[in-house]
Amino acid sequence: HVQLVESGGGSVQAGGSLRLSCVADNLDFGHHCVAWFRHVPGKAREGVAQVFGAGGTPNYADSVKGRFTISKDNARNTLNLAMNELKVEDTAMYYCAARRWYGGSCSHETASDSDYWWGQGTQVTVS
């Protein structure tokens, strides 16, 4: 049974920073596509950042490029998202997700929601 557990969300003022973490149980991030998504009620879920767990160039949504950084701690099997220069529009529930890698891109645009294992989410509020 795969379980993803996020932490690190909270409330912060605009311009501030937060660091989200995701720990996986029964899943090795190194062999999967890993990603962070966010969702605001009434809007479509947005893929924030994705990367192949064993390495490679991350993909970022245009809205977060230059401000957010996805990274992985192999020793702790943890996925992180460093968020800097936060804006009010970054307010959302943030989800960690992983899916099997079959080769090629880890872009979320090549997968459907049902392809992923999902965490329960962590709320980020920027005011």
Short mmCIF file of all heavy atoms in Angstrom, two decimals, residues 66-94:
data_model
loop_
_atom_site.label_atom_id
_atom_site.label_comp_id
_atom_site.label_asym_id
_atom_site.label_seq_id
_atom_site.Cartn_x
_atom_site.Cartn_y
_atom_site.Cartn_z
N GLY A 66 11.34 30.04 -11.54
CA GLY A 66 12.24 31.00 -10.92
C GLY A 66 11.97 31.22 -9.45
O GLY A 66 12.76 31.86 -8.75
N ARG A 67 10.84 30.72 -8.95
CA ARG A 67 10.48 30.90 -7.54
C ARG A 67 10.41 29.59 -6.77
O ARG A 67 10.72 29.55 -5.58
CB ARG A 67 9.13 31.61 -7.43
CG ARG A 67 9.09 32.99 -8.08
CD ARG A 67 7.78 33.72 -7.78
NE ARG A 67 6.62 33.02 -8.29
CZ ARG A 67 5.61 32.57 -7.53
NH1 ARG A 67 5.64 32.74 -6.21
NH2 ARG A 67 4.58 31.95 -8.08
N PHE A 68 9.99 28.52 -7.45
CA PHE A 68 9.84 27.22 -6.80
C PHE A 68 10.93 26.28 -7.30
O PHE A 68 11.33 26.33 -8.46
CB PHE A 68 8.49 26.60 -7.13
CG PHE A 68 7.31 27.28 -6.48
CD1 PHE A 68 7.40 28.52 -5.89
CD2 PHE A 68 6.07 26.65 -6.48
CE1 PHE A 68 6.31 29.13 -5.31
CE2 PHE A 68 4.96 27.23 -5.90
CZ PHE A 68 5.08 28.48 -5.32
N THR A 69 11.35 25.38 -6.41
CA THR A 69 12.35 24.38 -6.77
C THR A 69 11.94 23.02 -6.21
O THR A 69 11.73 22.89 -5.00
CB THR A 69 13.74 24.75 -6.23
OG1 THR A 69 14.12 26.03 -6.72
CG2 THR A 69 14.77 23.72 -6.68
N ILE A 70 11.85 22.03 -7.09
CA ILE A 70 11.55 20.67 -6.68
C ILE A 70 12.86 19.94 -6.49
O ILE A 70 13.80 20.09 -7.27
CB ILE A 70 10.64 19.96 -7.70
CG1 ILE A 70 10.18 18.60 -7.19
CG2 ILE A 70 11.33 19.83 -9.06
CD1 ILE A 70 9.12 17.95 -8.08
N SER A 71 12.95 19.13 -5.43
CA SER A 71 14.17 18.38 -5.18
C SER A 71 13.82 17.11 -4.44
O SER A 71 12.73 16.97 -3.89
CB SER A 71 15.16 19.22 -4.37
OG SER A 71 14.65 19.50 -3.07
N LYS A 72 14.78 16.19 -4.45
CA LYS A 72 14.54 14.89 -3.82
C LYS A 72 15.72 14.55 -2.93
O LYS A 72 16.87 14.73 -3.31
CB LYS A 72 14.32 13.82 -4.88
CG LYS A 72 13.71 12.55 -4.34
CD LYS A 72 13.26 11.69 -5.50
CE LYS A 72 14.46 11.19 -6.31
NZ LYS A 72 15.33 10.30 -5.57
N ASP A 73 15.43 14.04 -1.76
CA ASP A 73 16.44 13.55 -0.84
C ASP A 73 16.41 12.04 -0.93
O ASP A 73 15.52 11.39 -0.38
CB ASP A 73 16.14 14.03 0.58
CG ASP A 73 17.21 13.62 1.58
OD1 ASP A 73 17.87 12.61 1.36
OD2 ASP A 73 17.34 14.32 2.60
N ASN A 74 17.36 11.47 -1.66
CA ASN A 74 17.33 10.02 -1.89
C ASN A 74 17.50 9.24 -0.61
O ASN A 74 16.86 8.20 -0.41
CB ASN A 74 18.43 9.65 -2.88
CG ASN A 74 18.15 10.15 -4.28
OD1 ASN A 74 17.00 10.23 -4.69
ND2 ASN A 74 19.19 10.51 -5.00
N ALA A 75 18.36 9.71 0.26
CA ALA A 75 18.63 8.97 1.49
C ALA A 75 17.36 8.85 2.35
O ALA A 75 17.18 7.85 3.04
CB ALA A 75 19.74 9.65 2.27
N ARG A 76 16.53 9.87 2.30
CA ARG A 76 15.32 9.86 3.12
C ARG A 76 14.07 9.57 2.32
O ARG A 76 12.96 9.57 2.87
CB ARG A 76 15.17 11.22 3.82
CG ARG A 76 16.35 11.55 4.72
CD ARG A 76 16.19 12.90 5.40
NE ARG A 76 17.33 13.23 6.24
CZ ARG A 76 17.44 14.33 6.96
NH1 ARG A 76 16.48 15.22 6.96
NH2 ARG A 76 18.51 14.54 7.70
N ASN A 77 14.25 9.32 1.00
CA ASN A 77 13.11 9.07 0.11
C ASN A 77 12.04 10.14 0.30
O ASN A 77 10.85 9.86 0.49
CB ASN A 77 12.51 7.68 0.38
CG ASN A 77 11.71 7.17 -0.80
OD1 ASN A 77 12.00 7.46 -1.96
ND2 ASN A 77 10.67 6.39 -0.52
N THR A 78 12.49 11.37 0.25
CA THR A 78 11.63 12.52 0.49
C THR A 78 11.65 13.45 -0.71
O THR A 78 12.71 13.69 -1.30
CB THR A 78 12.09 13.29 1.74
OG1 THR A 78 12.06 12.42 2.87
CG2 THR A 78 11.21 14.49 2.01
N LEU A 79 10.49 13.96 -1.06
CA LEU A 79 10.35 14.93 -2.15
C LEU A 79 10.07 16.29 -1.53
O LEU A 79 9.23 16.40 -0.64
CB LEU A 79 9.20 14.53 -3.07
CG LEU A 79 8.96 15.41 -4.28
CD1 LEU A 79 10.11 15.29 -5.27
CD2 LEU A 79 7.63 15.05 -4.96
N ASN A 80 10.78 17.30 -1.99
CA ASN A 80 10.64 18.64 -1.42
C ASN A 80 10.20 19.66 -2.47
O ASN A 80 10.43 19.46 -3.67
CB ASN A 80 11.97 19.10 -0.82
CG ASN A 80 12.49 18.17 0.25
OD1 ASN A 80 11.78 17.84 1.20
ND2 ASN A 80 13.73 17.72 0.10
N LEU A 81 9.59 20.72 -2.00
CA LEU A 81 9.28 21.85 -2.86
C LEU A 81 9.61 23.13 -2.09
O LEU A 81 8.93 23.47 -1.12
CB LEU A 81 7.80 21.85 -3.26
CG LEU A 81 7.41 22.95 -4.25
CD1 LEU A 81 8.04 22.68 -5.63
CD2 LEU A 81 5.89 23.07 -4.39
N ALA A 82 10.67 23.79 -2.52
CA ALA A 82 11.04 25.07 -1.92
C ALA A 82 10.30 26.17 -2.66
O ALA A 82 10.39 26.27 -3.87
CB ALA A 82 12.55 25.28 -2.01
N MET A 83 9.57 26.98 -1.91
CA MET A 83 8.75 28.02 -2.51
C MET A 83 9.22 29.37 -1.98
O MET A 83 9.13 29.62 -0.77
CB MET A 83 7.28 27.79 -2.17
CG MET A 83 6.77 26.42 -2.56
SD MET A 83 5.01 26.21 -2.30
CE MET A 83 4.93 26.36 -0.52
N ASN A 84 9.70 30.21 -2.86
CA ASN A 84 10.18 31.53 -2.49
C ASN A 84 9.35 32.60 -3.18
O ASN A 84 8.64 32.33 -4.15
CB ASN A 84 11.65 31.68 -2.88
CG ASN A 84 12.54 30.67 -2.16
OD1 ASN A 84 12.45 30.49 -0.95
ND2 ASN A 84 13.40 29.99 -2.91
N GLU A 85 9.47 33.82 -2.69
CA GLU A 85 8.75 34.96 -3.27
C GLU A 85 7.27 34.63 -3.45
O GLU A 85 6.71 34.87 -4.52
CB GLU A 85 9.38 35.37 -4.60
CG GLU A 85 10.85 35.74 -4.50
CD GLU A 85 11.46 36.00 -5.87
OE1 GLU A 85 10.76 36.53 -6.75
OE2 GLU A 85 12.65 35.66 -6.06
N LEU A 86 6.69 34.09 -2.43
CA LEU A 86 5.31 33.64 -2.52
C LEU A 86 4.37 34.81 -2.79
O LEU A 86 4.56 35.92 -2.29
CB LEU A 86 4.90 32.90 -1.25
CG LEU A 86 5.45 31.47 -1.17
CD1 LEU A 86 5.40 30.96 0.26
CD2 LEU A 86 4.66 30.56 -2.10
N LYS A 87 3.35 34.50 -3.58
CA LYS A 87 2.34 35.47 -3.95
C LYS A 87 0.98 35.01 -3.44
O LYS A 87 0.77 33.82 -3.17
CB LYS A 87 2.28 35.61 -5.47
CG LYS A 87 3.60 35.98 -6.12
CD LYS A 87 3.48 36.00 -7.64
CE LYS A 87 4.80 36.36 -8.30
NZ LYS A 87 4.70 36.38 -9.77
N VAL A 88 0.07 35.95 -3.33
CA VAL A 88 -1.28 35.61 -2.87
C VAL A 88 -1.88 34.52 -3.75
O VAL A 88 -2.55 33.61 -3.26
CB VAL A 88 -2.17 36.87 -2.86
CG1 VAL A 88 -3.61 36.50 -2.58
CG2 VAL A 88 -1.65 37.87 -1.82
N GLU A 89 -1.60 34.60 -5.05
CA GLU A 89 -2.17 33.62 -5.98
C GLU A 89 -1.55 32.23 -5.84
O GLU A 89 -1.99 31.29 -6.51
CB GLU A 89 -2.05 34.12 -7.43
CG GLU A 89 -0.67 34.57 -7.83
CD GLU A 89 -0.49 36.07 -7.70
OE1 GLU A 89 -0.96 36.65 -6.69
OE2 GLU A 89 0.14 36.66 -8.60
N ASP A 90 -0.53 32.07 -5.00
CA ASP A 90 0.01 30.74 -4.72
C ASP A 90 -0.81 30.01 -3.66
O ASP A 90 -0.55 28.83 -3.39
CB ASP A 90 1.46 30.84 -4.24
CG ASP A 90 2.40 31.34 -5.31
OD1 ASP A 90 2.26 30.92 -6.48
OD2 ASP A 90 3.29 32.15 -4.98
N THR A 91 -1.76 30.69 -3.06
CA THR A 91 -2.62 30.07 -2.06
C THR A 91 -3.37 28.89 -2.67
O THR A 91 -4.05 29.04 -3.69
CB THR A 91 -3.61 31.09 -1.50
OG1 THR A 91 -2.88 32.11 -0.80
CG2 THR A 91 -4.59 30.43 -0.55
N ALA A 92 -3.24 27.72 -2.06
CA ALA A 92 -3.86 26.51 -2.60
C ALA A 92 -3.57 25.35 -1.67
O ALA A 92 -2.75 25.45 -0.75
CB ALA A 92 -3.31 26.19 -3.99
N MET A 93 -4.24 24.23 -1.93
CA MET A 93 -3.87 22.96 -1.32
C MET A 93 -2.81 22.34 -2.22
O MET A 93 -3.02 22.22 -3.44
CB MET A 93 -5.07 22.05 -1.20
CG MET A 93 -4.79 20.75 -0.47
SD MET A 93 -4.55 21.00 1.29
CE MET A 93 -6.27 21.11 1.82
N TYR A 94 -1.69 21.96 -1.66
CA TYR A 94 -0.59 21.39 -2.42
C TYR A 94 -0.52 19.89 -2.18
O TYR A 94 -0.58 19.42 -1.03
CB TYR A 94 0.72 22.06 -2.02
CG TYR A 94 0.89 23.43 -2.62
CD1 TYR A 94 0.14 24.50 -2.16
CD2 TYR A 94 1.77 23.65 -3.68
CE1 TYR A 94 0.26 25.76 -2.73
CE2 TYR A 94 1.90 24.91 -4.25
CZ TYR A 94 1.15 25.95 -3.77
OH TYR A 94 1.26 27.19 -4.34
#
